[in-house]
Amino acid sequence: DIVGFTNISRQISPEDVVLMLNLIFCVMDTLAERYRLTKIKTIGDAFMAACGVPSPLLFSAPRVAEFALATMELLREKHDPLGSPLAMRVGMHTGPVVAGVVGTSKFAYDLWGDTVNMASRMESNGEPGRVCCSAAVKEVLEEWYELTEREPRQIKGQGLVTTYLLEGLQAGCTRPFQLDDDDDGLQDEIDDFLADIPDPVSTSADQFQD
């Protein structure tokens, strides 16, 4: 989620809230496509995605890690409408989920289960501009990535839990998967979206209207 979003939204117009979220989530949508993640939904200022659903995919955890790190990097030099640097908190967990479509209207593919809850807890107990990972994620990623252990803390519904901050690829390591052939085209899309985000983000949505 976006750090300080509640405070930001209180001080800018509703139009600018939507503008900011749309531009950020468009970038994340494109990155999700690049790393073959499935976007599940957005909840306010939060973006929920998974990899390996609905079909299994090799190196799902590294793909999510690269997605998270790329998102942080692309937004690092951008500012919110109040002129403060944009920052996001990301939570990451791996495990089985229940997935499906329920209800009789506004059909949407969704995920449920302890894995989803733990990922949410990782986010809420994370740090601005960082990716907070569970021990299960650490076990999968530590072959290629550097992670920093944090002090154990009480996690709602989980007890005392040790979490880790994802730092990036280890020196001399490369990501364990290959990107698709159209990667250059996706990068062009990302660059176009980022070019539309003023620095700082404008407090007037009118200039974005034709």
Side-chain angles (χ1 to χ4, degrees):
D1 69 350
I2 300 170
V3 177
F5 176 77
T6 300
N7 180 58
I8 296 169
S9 63
R10 286 172 177 162
Q11 299 183 60
I12 62 177
S13 70
E15 293 83 2
D16 287 320
V17 171
V18 175
L19 173 68
M20 179 180 70
L21 290 177
N22 182 60
L23 290 172
I24 293 172
F25 288 160
C26 281
V27 171
M28 298 179 74
D29 283 342
T30 306
L31 284 171
E33 182 181 352
R34 166 191 262 185
Y35 294 108
R36 298 182 64 184
L37 274 65
T38 299
K39 176 184 177 180
I40 305 301
K41 58 187 172 183
T42 59
I43 312 166
D45 62 314
F47 185 100
M48 179 179 173
C51 192
V53 294
S55 300
L57 184 65
L58 289 175
F59 302 114
S60 292
R63 288 178 181 276
V64 175
E66 290 293 329
F67 165 81
L69 292 170
T71 299
M72 298 292 191
E73 183 62 29
L74 287 171
L75 296 179
R76 197 177 305 279
E77 297 182 1
K78 293 297 179 180
H79 292 72
D80 65 34
L82 302 177
S84 300
L86 274 173
M88 299 191 77
R89 273 185 300 264
V90 176
M92 187 175 169
H93 184 52
T94 184
V97 296
V98 176
V101 179
V102 297
T104 59
S105 64
K106 289 192 175 181
F107 302 113
Y109 182 77
D110 207 349
L111 306 179
W112 304 273
D114 189 61
T115 297
V116 178
N117 295 336
M118 179 62 95
S120 177
R121 299 290 182 258
M122 292 299 99
E123 177 273 319
S124 60
N125 285 274
E127 299 179 9
R130 306 300 300 273
V131 183
C132 181
C133 304
S134 65
V137 171
K138 183 252 187 186
E139 291 179 7
V140 177
L141 294 183
E142 62 184 351
E143 180 177 350
W144 307 282
Y145 294 85
E146 180 180 349
L147 298 101
T148 299
E149 183 174 333
R150 305 168 74 201
E151 289 292 326
R153 60 191 61 203
Q154 288 290 334
I155 303 293
K156 182 179 178 181
Q158 303 292 334
L160 194 62
V161 175
T162 299
T163 60
Y164 303 81
L165 295 177
L166 177 63
E167 305 292 352
L169 283 166
Q170 296 178 20
C173 284
T174 58
R175 59 186 174 220
F177 61 91
Q178 297 294 320
L179 293 173
D180 295 335
D181 293 338
D182 62 352
D183 180 51
D184 289 340
L186 289 174
Q187 183 60 53
D188 290 341
E189 287 187 42
I190 293 169
D191 292 340
D192 289 341
F193 284 130
L194 288 175
D196 286 338
I197 304 179
D199 193 11
V201 176
S202 171
T203 56
S204 173
D206 293 340
Q207 67 169 298
F208 291 90
Q209 300 175 359
D210 294 332

